[in-house]
Amino acid sequence: MASATVKRIGILTGGGDCAGLNTVISSIVRAGVPMGYEFVGILKGWEGILDPPMLKPLDVRAVRGISHIGGTVLRTTNHGRFAAKIGEGGASRIPTDVLNSVARNMKANDIDALIVIGGDGTLSGAHQLMELTGMKVVGVPKTIDNDLEGTDRSFGFSSAVEIVREELNRIHTTAASHDRVMFVETMGRHAGWIALYGGLAGGANAILLPEFPFDPANLTEFIRDRVKQGKLSSVIVVAEGAHIGGKLSTKKAKKDGEAQLGGAAERLMAAVEACAKPGEFEMRTVVLGHTQRGGGPNAEDHILARAYGVAAIDAVHAGEFGCMVSYRHGKMTAVSIAQAVGKLNLVTAEDPVYSAAKKIGLYMGDA
Ligand code: F6P
C-alpha cells in the first residue's frame, strides 16, 4: 500500500519547540502505519541526520499518549550546523558538505523521505537540501510566531496567544491594585502576531509591533490621557521585535543561528520614563518568554496539528515532495516550500484584527 518509491520516512522537529509538535508526530505515525509506511524519528532537528546520526524507531506504541504533551519527544535545536536563517527573512547558505552528509545518512539508514516539522529556518534548510541533493521532503508549518508565508496558521500560535491572554488577565489585577503601568514583552521575532492577538484578547491598552513605528512621547501622552480619564493603570504589550528608538532589542548574537532578541520591555519603559515627569508613573516590566512555548496544545492547535500530520503523510503518499502542507481559507492544501520561506508573513495595516484594535481605541503605534 505504501508508495512505490517511499517505504521508510524520517520525521524531524527543528527550531524552537511549541505546543502541538507531539500531536503532529503522533498523527503522522497513526495515519501512516496502516498505509504501509515505517517511521524513524530524527533527534535534535537536523543535527540528528548529520554525523553521527541520532535516530529512534517510531511505531504506534512509541507515539501512544504523547499528543497532548508539550515540547517534542524527538527534541530539537534552533542552532547548529544546519542553521539557515539570519535576521528578517534572510537565509544563509548551508555548506555543501553538510547538505550532502544528510543525503548520505538518509541513504545509509534507508530513509526514503523526510517529514520536516519546522518554521522558517528549518524549512529553509529543507529547501536547500532538496535543491542540492534532490532528497524527498514534505514540510509542516510550526511556529508560535505565525510568520510563515503560504499558510494562514502555523500550529503553536494559538496556544501561545492563549498563554499571553491568560497572563495579561493576571497582570491587569496587579496593575490595577497598584495604579501601575505594566510593560509586557511577548515573543514573535520580527512578526507582531502574538502581541497583536494575545494583547487584544488579554485587554491590553496599547500594543506595539515590529511592523509599525511609534514615538515613545506619543505613548507617554496616551498613558497620561488615560490617567486624566481616571484609568490609573495601563497594560502595554510590546513585541520583542518592536523597534524602540528605531532599534531592535538584541541580547546577544549566536555564532551559529539568529541573534537572540530581548530587552524590549525594559527599553520601552526607560523611553517612557524619559518622556514622563519625574515620578509621574509607577512602572514595571514582565517578560513572558518561553512560557509562550511551553505546555500542551490548546484545542485549536491540537486539532490543527492532527490535521497537519495527516496532510503530511497524505502528501508523501501522493508523491507531492517539495511542498509544505498549509491551512488556507478553511481548507487543507499545500504550497511549495520555496514559496513558504521566501519572505516573512507580517502584520499589515489592512489586517482586520489590527484595524479592529485601532478602532476600539488601543494605541497601536503612529501609523
Ligand atoms: O521562533 C520562536 C521563538 O520563540 C521566537 O519567538 C523567539 O525570538 C525565539 O524563538 C527564542 O529562541 P530561543 O529558544 O533560542 O530563546
Side-chain angles (χ1 to χ4, degrees):
M1 282 213 291
S3 82
T5 52
V6 176
K7 295 269 174 296
R8 197 164 127 93
I9 302 167
I11 304 178
L12 75 81
T13 54
D17 73 324
C18 72
L21 283 163
N22 288 327
T23 326
V24 176
I25 297 167
S26 149
S27 273
I28 296 168
V29 175
R30 282 177 54 179
V33 167
M35 293 161 82
Y37 293 102
E38 257 179 57
F39 296 94
V40 59
I42 296 167
L43 306 182
K44 291 294 282 177
W46 289 111
E47 288 295 310
I49 191 69
L50 294 172
D51 294 317
M54 296 180 280
L55 306 173
K56 119 177 185 178
L58 275 183
D59 56 13
V60 172
R61 178 188 283 261
V63 300
R64 193 168 292 151
I66 65 167
S67 67
H68 64 290
I69 297 170
T72 161
V73 292
L74 298 178
R75 314 207 319 277
T76 187
T77 180
N78 59 3
H79 56 93
R81 291 169 284 177
F82 224 84
K85 221 56 210 174
I86 36 158
E88 297 170 54
S92 57
R93 296 308 300 177
I94 298 168
T96 306
D97 58 323
V98 174
L99 293 166
N100 281 329
S101 62
V102 173
R104 187 176 8 89
N105 285 333
M106 281 177 69
K107 284 179 197 145
N109 290 282
D110 297 322
I111 298 173
D112 306 313
L114 292 178
I115 296 179
V116 175
I117 310 167
D120 195 32
T122 308
L123 295 177
S124 292
H127 180 54
Q128 293 185 36
L129 174 72
M130 289 183 301
E131 267 188 336
L132 185 77
T133 68
M135 289 293 110
K136 298 182 168 78
V137 180
V138 165
V140 181
K142 166 245 58 160
T143 169
I144 63 166
D145 303 341
N146 200 44
D147 60 355
L148 269 167
E149 269 288 310
T151 183
D152 291 347
R153 276 286 173 279
S154 53
F155 72 90
F157 171 66
S158 176
S159 306
V161 166
E162 196 154 321
I163 290 160
V164 173
R165 182 186 66 82
E166 280 171 12
E167 295 303 324
L168 289 182
N169 287 345
R170 295 191 179 94
I171 288 164
H172 272 294
T173 63
T174 173
S177 305
H178 286 263
D179 302 338
R180 279 178 175 159
V181 181
M182 304 292 282
F183 296 88
V184 184
E185 182 174 318
T186 62
M187 281 188 169
R189 292 204 75 83
H190 308 292
W193 296 110
I194 300 175
L196 174 62
Y197 277 57
L200 188 60
N205 307 115
I207 307 176
L208 301 161
L209 308 179
E211 292 89 342
F212 301 97
F214 66 95
D215 184 342
N218 293 338
L219 175 62
T220 309
E221 201 47 48
F222 173 82
I223 299 168
R224 188 174 286 139
D225 270 355
R226 285 179 51 80
V227 174
K228 281 186 197 145
Q229 293 163 38
K231 298 166 185 165
L232 304 182
S233 65
S234 292
V235 174
I236 315 297
V237 168
V238 55
E240 63 178 358
H243 293 229
I244 295 151
K247 276 186 25 205
L248 200 60
S249 309
T250 48
K251 268 183 153 170
K252 59 179 178 196
K254 283 184 203 153
K255 64 178 185 321
D256 57 356
E258 279 193 285
Q260 198 181 339
L261 301 185
E266 280 292 331
R267 288 186 56 224
L268 183 59
M269 184 171 80
V272 168
E273 193 159 34
C275 298
K277 299 183 194 87
E280 186 177 0
F281 308 121
E282 194 175 330
M283 301 187 281
R284 294 289 188 274
T285 60
V286 179
V287 179
L288 296 181
H290 294 81
T291 59
Q292 293 157 96
R293 297 216 313 240
N298 68 1
E300 189 178 349
D301 271 338
H302 194 114
I303 290 159
L304 184 61
R306 280 278 185 228
Y308 270 147
V310 171
I313 188 64
D314 282 348
V316 170
H317 194 62
E320 287 173 16
F321 299 108
C323 80
M324 178 188 83
V325 294
S326 149
Y327 188 68
R328 265 269 143 106
H329 312 308
K331 288 204 171 69
M332 200 48 85
T333 169
V335 295
S336 76
I337 292 182
Q339 183 192 335
V341 300
K343 73 183 207 342
L344 290 180
N345 167 32
L346 300 174
V347 181
T348 64
E350 292 72 44
D351 181 84
V353 180
Y354 175 80
S355 48
K358 262 188 109 157
K359 282 193 180 151
I360 61 168
L362 274 70
Y363 177 76
M364 300 294 295
D366 300 326

